[in-house]
Amino acid sequence: MPGNSRPAGGPGLEQVRRIVTEIPGPRSRELLARQRGLVPAGVGATLPVFVEAAGGGVIVDADGNSFIDFGSGIAVTTVGNSATAVAERAAAQLRRFTHTCFLVNPYASYLDVCQRLNELAPVPGEKRTLLVNSGAEAVENAVKIARAATGRPAVVVFDHAFHGRTLLTMTLTAKNRPYKHGFGPFAPEVHRAPMAYPYRWPTGPEHCAEEAAAALADLLDRQVGADNVAAVLVEPIQGEGGFIVPAPGFLTQVAEICRARGILLIADEVQTGIARTGRMFACEHEGIRPDLVTTAKGLAGGLPLGAVTGRAELMDAAPVGGLGGTFSGNPVACEAALGVFDEIETHDLLERAQAIGDVMHQRLAELARVHPAMGDVRGRGAMIAIELVQPHGDRVPAPELAAGIARRCHAEGLLVLTAGSYGNVLRFLPPLSISDTLLDEGLTLLGEAIAKETASAG
Ligand SMILES: *Cc1c(COP(=O)(O)O)cnc(C)c1O
């Protein structure tokens, strides 16, 4: 396709898979070569096709290839790329004013976003919300607030956690490569407890919640000292770690352990929040009520916006001037977020996420019955993953198999993402605007890719 005619994106984009060149195509390869001379090597790309338009359930590249989107820009365009309400509200705001700095001159759309999050977040009691620019910034601020409110220094996080790439949040993150290696020294007062990871719990999934909770209590009471701990920080479903759904009951026990010790519970819902799992917040599945919750990825339909929502008395503990930032709660991003809430309501997207999850679970379970390399199928709503293992081993991770399947999917026009502490997880995060037809076609392509790759590997 000629590079000079740019298709419009959004829901009106033609909803088909179409592969017309090798992947990446010549135009993308040219741009990738240009990128190498302009952008540091540390900025990677899962599928280096340069995007011209996206919407509904597809991404169209500079060579005219149209991919089925099972990634949503890493759980960001949950309501769809350039979704109507998001694009219209943001465009109208762009013409009114682009920035004032909320710390200099406030504007009402910031308050409207905070009001929605305060109404929706599963935090008990009266609430406040702080807006920031990213997931990492939301987590950083949640920790700052927890420390200010408790006067305690330490933070406890879990194995397989991912919380961002800034100094504090990479410290909070578990995986060394590529997130931490060479980037230390790290922030102090971060301690790590085992995650209740049912598939890999040494004594089996039935003991997982109980034993992991006991390990957390032991870490708090015996190693760190509970009265030194400001907060326990947990993803209600671990994202980059491999869509690990904690063993049932574990999160409830974590909440009880925290409450009994005056430790705050922070739920990092940067990836799980805002309708992704079939609820507004993934905490709702387990009925836990954290003191603070962070959101970002799906919050503003692709515009950079993050938030910390928490109990009012905690949120108010930081002094005037202690929170905020130059761009934080940008007015265009705020309008986009209000568009996201509109889209979720207008199109019943909580239900849609659940329906997508039901289809994916069913199809993937069928595939797992014929492919022993699919060790585990897990997730909630439109946040589902498969964990790949060596077919006849002891759950030995198979990262090459995951990479090979992903490559085949990409070549056929299906964008999938990898994840997992061992690099052996394929994760699926379709936009909730994807059609049933494309969802079905994507799952069929995935099944074919798994069959071919396991045949060629075995
Ligand atoms: C992506 C992610 C972050 C970091 O968000 P950025 O916007 O990339 O800084 C933090 N926590 C979780 C759970 C995430 O998935």
Side-chain angles (χ1 to χ4, degrees):
M1 191 182 81
N4 55 10
S5 73
R6 295 186 157 196
L13 190 60
E14 193 191 359
Q15 296 298 299
V16 290
R17 177 179 65 102
R18 182 178 55 231
I19 294 302
V20 295
T21 68
E22 61 183 321
I23 303 300
R27 183 90 187 101
S28 281
R29 270 184 281 130
E30 211 175 282
L31 288 163
L32 191 60
R34 199 175 140 217
Q35 175 175 335
R36 295 220 166 89
L38 296 168
V39 180
V43 180
T46 304
L47 171 56
V49 298
F50 282 73
V51 176
E52 293 272 315
V58 298
I59 296 174
V60 177
D61 77 5
D63 292 288
N65 299 300
S66 180
F67 296 83
I68 299 173
D69 183 8
F70 273 16
S72 298
I74 317 187
V76 168
T77 54
T78 304
V79 300
N81 243 301
S82 298
T84 307
V86 173
E88 282 176 0
R89 276 182 173 268
Q93 179 58 40
L94 278 168
R95 288 187 288 269
R96 284 193 296 269
F97 62 95
T98 48
H99 173 83
T100 61
C101 187
F102 191 77
L103 305 178
V104 178
N105 307 115
Y107 35 87
S109 56
Y110 185 117
L111 309 185
D112 295 336
V113 175
C114 296
Q115 187 169 339
R116 296 309 305 270
L117 286 170
N118 290 348
E119 285 161 5
L120 294 165
V123 171
E126 195 181 337
K127 288 165 255 184
R128 304 275 185 269
T129 289
L130 166 74
L131 298 182
V132 293
N133 298 294
S134 70
E137 213 188 327
V139 173
E140 290 257 2
N141 277 281
V143 171
K144 277 171 64 174
I145 291 163
R147 284 174 169 163
T150 59
R152 301 171 174 189
V155 184
V156 170
V157 290
F158 291 92
D159 198 6
H160 310 290
F162 180 87
H163 297 292
R165 287 184 174 83
T166 60
L167 174 59
L168 177 59
T169 60
M170 81 169 162
T171 306
L172 298 168
T173 293
K175 192 175 178 178
N176 181 40
R177 286 181 193 269
Y179 303 125
K180 303 170 82 161
H181 192 80
F183 296 144
F186 301 105
E189 294 295 350
V190 173
H191 306 270
R192 197 171 304 282
M195 166 49 64
Y197 184 171
Y199 183 65
R200 294 196 175 278
W201 195 256
T203 55
E206 64 279 14
H207 305 293
C208 181
E210 204 74 30
E211 291 178 9
L216 173 66
D218 182 73
L219 175 74
L220 294 171
D221 294 334
R222 200 174 52 79
Q223 297 184 44
V224 190
D227 51 6
N228 294 316
V229 180
V232 169
L233 168 63
V234 66
E235 297 158 87
I237 300 173
Q238 291 186 311
E240 306 301 303
F243 287 15
I244 300 164
V245 183
F250 176 67
L251 292 174
T252 314
Q253 293 189 56
V254 170
E256 279 163 12
I257 286 167
C258 288
R259 197 151 301 131
R261 292 161 177 78
I263 296 168
L264 301 179
L265 178 62
I266 307 173
D268 182 354
E269 293 239 22
V270 166
Q271 189 156 167
T272 50
I274 320 297
R276 175 50 62 186
T277 68
R279 303 283 178 89
M280 211 57 182
F281 292 86
C283 283
E284 297 168 38
H285 293 285
E286 289 280 322
I288 59 161
R289 316 211 68 192
D291 299 289
L292 300 159
V293 57
T294 56
T295 48
K297 287 189 165 90
L299 179 57
L303 277 85
L305 190 68
V308 184
T309 302
R311 286 166 46 210
E313 68 271 27
L314 307 174
M315 296 294 292
D316 286 333
V320 175
L323 303 176
T326 308
F327 293 115
S328 301
N330 168 273
V332 182
C334 284
E335 288 290 341
L338 296 172
V340 165
F341 292 121
D342 289 352
E343 290 279 338
I344 291 170
E345 271 163 33
T346 317
H347 300 292
D348 278 332
L349 292 184
L350 296 178
E351 217 166 285
R352 180 66 187 147
Q354 198 52 60
I356 287 171
D358 291 345
V359 170
M360 286 201 291
H361 259 300
Q362 194 206 321
R363 294 281 300 274
L364 294 169
E366 282 165 22
L367 286 171
R369 278 197 283 278
V370 281
H371 297 295
M374 290 172 67
D376 198 17
V377 178
R378 59 182 181 242
R380 292 190 199 273
M383 182 173 183
I384 306 286
I386 57 177
E387 174 156 0
L388 294 149
V389 292
Q390 292 185 8
H392 307 299
D394 248 351
R395 306 191 168 185
V396 179
E400 314 77 24
L401 185 59
I405 295 166
R407 261 194 311 277
R408 284 182 193 271
C409 290
H410 296 167
E412 294 298 324
L414 172 67
L415 172 61
V416 296
L417 307 173
T418 54
S421 292
Y422 312 102
N424 64 328
V425 172
L426 287 173
R427 57 172 157 170
F428 314 117
L429 293 158
L432 306 181
S433 53
I434 196 170
S435 67
D436 288 336
T437 312
L438 284 180
L439 180 65
D440 176 74
E441 188 178 349
L443 289 165
T444 301
L445 287 169
L446 176 67
E448 289 166 6
I450 294 169
K452 285 182 189 154
E453 191 63 24
T454 49
S456 79

